[in-house]
Amino acid sequence: MKDIPLNERIIVALDVDHPDKAKELVKKCESHISYYKIGLQLFMGSWFETVDWIVDRGHKVMLDLKFFDIPETVKLAVEQVNSRGVSLATIHGNDPIIRAALEARGDMKLLAVTVLTSFGEEDMRAMGMTGSIADLVYFRAKRALELGCDGVVSSGLEAERMRSELGEKLLIVTPGIRPGDNVVEDDQKRVMTAGKAIAAGADHLVVGRPITKAADPIKVIESMQQEIAAVAG
Ligand code: C5P
């Protein structure tokens, strides 16, 4: 298991519409958390303002814009990001897109999104696809690693196989973390508890609503961090 500080294991997803709300959330959580994810909603509402603010405060940023376009466009988009102090950025894609993004990665780490955690087996069947999500995630992760990607975004359910078959180097970042065990209570379908996801091999956990919508976010963070510490030491 990698030696990752406890305050960087959970990446809080700042899924809010305004930079002021994001800053308020960071101020609430920063005694315990030093890693924040900025996704499409907040980026559309603040561009780099929140990214710069969080980096200047000494915290890490995962910029989750899941770039997906022709290779040259993805490369140019990654270039726009690689000098802003962002630690992790996400891309989708097939081999040429991943290769192009890697050319422009700079000091950032790049994560390939494997299969969204909101995508379930029934969605696969509805598209007429056979096979399992577990295989799809595994083979996409294997390919991304072969191409030089630093890691993947996947649910905790696929982490164990990736960790045992693809090795320690692969960075596994896992959303779909829920306090109850595998309880589907919203749009996330492949969910897991914090402790189980880390035990399965995840390096970082992306947690949004269970923290951001909680009456007492610190209480939720402390409880998840206890679970993590029990497994990761
Ligand atoms: O609120 P919740 O904990 O479900 O938030 C999960 C976050 O992780 C969201 O910001 C979502 O965009 C992100 N994410 C995800 N599944 C992926 C990649 C990112 O849920 N495969």
Side-chain angles (χ1 to χ4, degrees):
M1 214 172 260
K2 296 187 191 75
D3 188 16
I4 298 171
L6 191 57
N7 67 356
E8 293 183 9
R9 284 281 188 185
I10 294 174
I11 302 177
V12 173
L14 301 173
D15 291 329
V16 291
D17 59 1
H18 195 279
D20 289 350
K21 290 186 195 162
K23 289 174 190 175
E24 203 181 302
L25 261 172
V26 172
K27 285 180 190 166
K28 234 185 237 174
C29 300
E30 67 186 350
S31 56
H32 289 64
I33 301 281
S34 201
Y35 221 140
Y36 297 90
K37 183 175 91 73
I38 295 177
L40 288 169
Q41 182 192 21
L42 180 58
F43 196 74
M44 292 302 135
S46 69
W47 298 102
F48 281 101
E49 178 188 333
T50 328
V51 175
D52 295 342
W53 184 85
I54 294 174
V55 170
D56 288 347
R57 250 175 128 77
H59 302 307
K60 290 188 175 171
V61 170
M62 170 177 171
L63 190 62
D64 184 25
L65 301 179
K66 302 186 180 72
F67 293 134
F68 185 50
D69 209 311
I70 60 166
E72 182 66 8
T73 303
V74 170
K75 180 178 155 192
L76 296 174
V78 172
E79 262 172 25
Q80 292 287 333
V81 175
N82 72 8
S83 59
R84 311 297 296 226
V86 167
S87 299
L88 280 177
T90 54
I91 51 167
H92 277 280
N94 51 21
D95 292 15
I97 296 174
I98 292 178
R99 277 198 198 95
L102 288 171
E103 274 178 48
R105 142 177 71 173
D107 293 333
M108 294 187 302
K109 289 194 167 145
L110 277 185
L111 300 178
V113 176
T114 52
V115 177
L116 294 174
T117 37
S118 57
F119 190 80
E121 298 284 350
E122 66 277 23
D123 300 305
M124 218 158 147
R125 302 287 95 83
M127 292 171 74
M129 290 165 79
T130 52
S132 69
I133 290 184
D135 276 348
L136 193 55
V137 171
Y138 173 75
F139 288 111
R140 283 191 177 160
K142 185 167 180 284
R143 189 65 190 138
L145 190 65
E146 281 164 5
L147 289 170
C149 244
D150 300 284
V152 293
V153 183
S154 85
S155 91
L157 302 176
E158 299 91 33
E160 196 167 344
R161 179 176 178 198
M162 289 191 292
R163 183 59 74 217
S164 68
E165 294 185 31
L166 302 178
E168 266 304 306
K169 189 171 164 250
L170 182 79
L171 201 58
I172 302 177
V173 177
T174 297
I177 300 300
R178 292 294 177 264
D181 192 7
N182 291 351
V183 178
V184 177
E185 51 191 35
D186 47 41
D187 56 346
Q188 296 283 23
K189 293 185 181 154
R190 305 196 327 279
V191 299
M192 217 179 223
T193 62
K196 285 196 173 170
I198 294 289
D203 295 302
H204 299 278
L205 311 177
V206 170
V207 188
R209 289 162 289 183
I211 291 175
T212 58
K213 302 259 187 258
D216 185 350
I218 292 295
K219 202 169 148 203
V220 178
I221 290 169
E222 282 179 343
S223 144
M224 286 187 177
Q225 285 182 331
Q226 269 168 18
E227 283 180 46
I228 295 169
V231 186

